[in-house]
Amino acid sequence: MKKLLVLLLIALVAFVGYALFWPGEFMPQPWTPAPAQTGAAPVKSAPLNQAQRLAENVANGPEDVAIDDQGRLYAGYDDGTIRRFDENGTNGEVFATTNGRPLGLAFTRGPVEPESNAAQNGRPAEDPADTNADGEPAQVLIVADAQRGLLAINTQGDIKMLASGANDTPFAFTDDVDVASDGSIYFTDASSKYGQHNYRADILEHGGHGRLMKYDPATGDVTVLLGGLQFANGVAVSGDDAFVLVTETGSYRVLRYWLTGDNAGQSDVFIDRLPGFPDGISYSDDSDTFWLALFAPRNEMLDFAADKPWLRRIIFRLPEAVQPAPAHVGRLLGLNAEGAVVTDLQDTDPSAFAPITSVEQSGNQLYLGSLTASAFARIPVPERNEDDP
């Protein structure tokens, strides 16, 4: 027994030495997370434990859901497919295959690349699929594909590459996308260092490798609006196009980048001290609400280790099975235009629909995506807090 204890002690010392001193790309940075907010708005209706699962067992990981003008539902899966369903999540079919990992989805209209690009790539400047039966611009699905970059897919399922990098830095983890009323496309590269399969490393490192960007369909130019973000995730343009929001998953907050007005080109904090890891965010004119998905609640061990890079080195070297894991909790928040919480829905049951990675409103329904579930889900739009202006 004594020899066994000595061997275990030697093995432990060797592992700690390896974790602390073995060279590698993982370079944890110290930071101090602020305590989580308390006193969120009460749940008014539609608890998450009543979520209706749609398109079950078709494929895994419908991370985001988009709805077209006909009410059809689109979701991207971890097998690289984007599948289309009717409004009830039935009659599914493969709409397109990106050969990557489609994450954020958003619809726009009309041409999404300059005519010069189309000519250079051997395509007609005006594709018949770019117009509908009335000769008006057809809807085009914009896709943030974690592995391939920013893509556009026309009504026939044809895929165009819009962008794969910016400022001489390739995208490593294209994450989410939203479209302004003028057709400008806002999207994120969650990390220029770590890919989608290594997302935990980026959050644990806290190295600021995320970016918020704008793609201009008229010129094909990509502009970096914000850099140094801690896992840049969800994107949502405000209803009046005055600003765009971006979630910083690794810092428990949402930033606001001003597009118009005296603050144009500047950024500030929209909401911080969130109780969990913010993921997808969207805006709905119908409810005048920003819907924010929380991937998982905060982890006490990770917060404790935030200002201790040496401890995070050890955690990083541990087998993933024994690293701090996200708790299985479904949660989403509704935020008003000032960033105040007006709805807080939670489900802590083991059968909860979780993790929730996106929330999209269509009519009186909220559609919920998930990175790992075998279905997406929907719930009725909850009532706002009566005290909210």
Side-chain angles (χ1 to χ4, degrees):
M1 178 63 72
K2 187 175 181 179
K3 290 184 177 179
L4 179 60
L5 291 175
V6 171
L7 289 174
L8 290 174
L9 180 60
I10 292 173
L12 178 61
V13 171
F15 172 76
V16 171
Y18 159 73
L20 293 178
F21 302 112
W22 191 264
E25 66 174 359
F26 182 72
M27 302 289 291
Q29 303 300 311
W31 71 293
T32 303
Q37 293 190 48
T38 57
V43 175
K44 305 298 285 187
S45 63
L48 286 175
N49 60 15
Q50 296 178 11
Q52 177 187 7
R53 286 167 167 79
L54 305 176
E56 285 195 275
N57 300 317
V58 170
N60 290 322
E63 202 271 348
D64 194 13
V65 179
I67 303 95
D68 69 12
D69 285 345
Q70 300 179 48
R72 295 176 296 186
L73 310 175
Y74 297 71
Y77 293 88
D78 65 6
D79 62 0
T81 61
I82 297 174
R83 297 170 185 259
R84 179 170 60 195
F85 307 88
D86 64 22
E87 61 183 7
N88 293 312
T90 56
N91 298 318
E93 61 180 349
V94 175
F95 173 65
T97 300
T98 69
N99 295 313
R101 186 22 168 141
L103 296 174
L105 310 175
F107 277 104
T108 187
R109 288 192 177 279
V112 291
E113 63 174 353
E115 292 186 9
S116 58
N117 281 16
Q120 180 178 348
N121 291 300
R123 292 188 293 268
E126 294 186 7
D127 190 327
D130 289 339
T131 58
N132 59 24
D134 299 323
E136 300 173 340
Q139 283 191 297
V140 177
L141 184 63
I142 306 299
V143 181
D145 188 290
Q147 299 172 19
R148 296 198 56 203
L150 188 68
L151 310 177
I153 307 179
N154 67 14
T155 56
Q156 297 177 355
D158 301 321
I159 300 174
K160 297 177 182 178
M161 168 66 73
L162 299 182
S164 59
N167 293 355
D168 299 321
T169 301
F171 306 147
F173 193 164
T174 323
D175 197 309
D176 198 20
V177 62
D178 199 12
V179 182
S181 60
D182 66 357
S184 296
I185 297 170
Y186 297 89
F187 66 106
T188 52
D189 184 22
S191 172
S192 60
K193 182 176 181 179
Y194 297 101
Q196 187 254 333
H197 293 295
N198 206 14
Y199 72 90
R200 290 188 182 188
D202 190 90
I203 293 174
L204 194 60
E205 181 178 286
H206 206 80
H209 307 297
R211 296 180 289 175
L212 169 67
M213 289 161 289
K214 172 186 175 181
Y215 173 83
D216 186 343
T219 64
D221 293 336
V222 176
T223 304
V224 178
L225 304 179
L226 291 175
L229 303 181
Q230 304 299 340
F231 201 90
N233 203 326
V235 180
V237 180
S238 64
D240 57 2
D241 287 355
F243 58 85
V244 59
L245 300 181
V246 56
T247 61
E248 264 196 302
T249 302
S251 291
Y252 310 126
R253 66 182 184 178
V254 179
L255 300 182
R256 171 174 49 193
Y257 182 89
W258 290 95
L259 302 174
T260 63
D262 294 339
N263 295 321
Q266 301 179 40
S267 64
D268 56 18
V269 175
F270 187 69
I271 183 173
D272 63 357
R273 300 173 53 204
L274 288 166
F277 296 93
D279 203 310
I281 190 169
S282 65
Y283 175 76
S284 173
D285 280 318
D286 292 337
S287 59
D288 190 23
T289 301
F290 290 99
W291 297 107
L292 176 63
L294 296 184
F295 182 86
R298 291 195 189 196
N299 184 286
E300 291 184 3
M301 172 57 75
L302 292 183
D303 279 0
F304 174 76
D307 61 350
K308 305 171 183 65
W310 62 269
L311 180 55
R312 282 187 282 141
R313 285 184 181 275
I314 294 174
I315 293 173
F316 176 73
R317 297 291 187 181
L318 290 171
E320 187 172 307
V322 295
Q323 290 181 9
H328 188 81
V329 175
R331 190 167 185 180
L332 64 89
L333 304 177
L335 311 174
N336 66 15
E338 287 72 46
V341 176
V342 295
T343 304
D344 185 350
L345 301 183
Q346 305 178 51
D347 186 2
T348 59
D349 192 85
S351 64
F353 182 79
I356 299 174
T357 52
S358 63
V359 189
E360 300 287 341
Q361 181 173 345
S362 179
N364 62 355
Q365 299 287 327
L366 292 181
Y367 291 87
L368 316 178
S370 177
L371 183 66
T372 57
S374 60
F376 52 93
R378 70 180 174 192
I379 61 172
V381 174
E383 298 175 9
R384 289 177 70 125
N385 184 348
E386 293 176 0
D387 296 330
D388 185 60

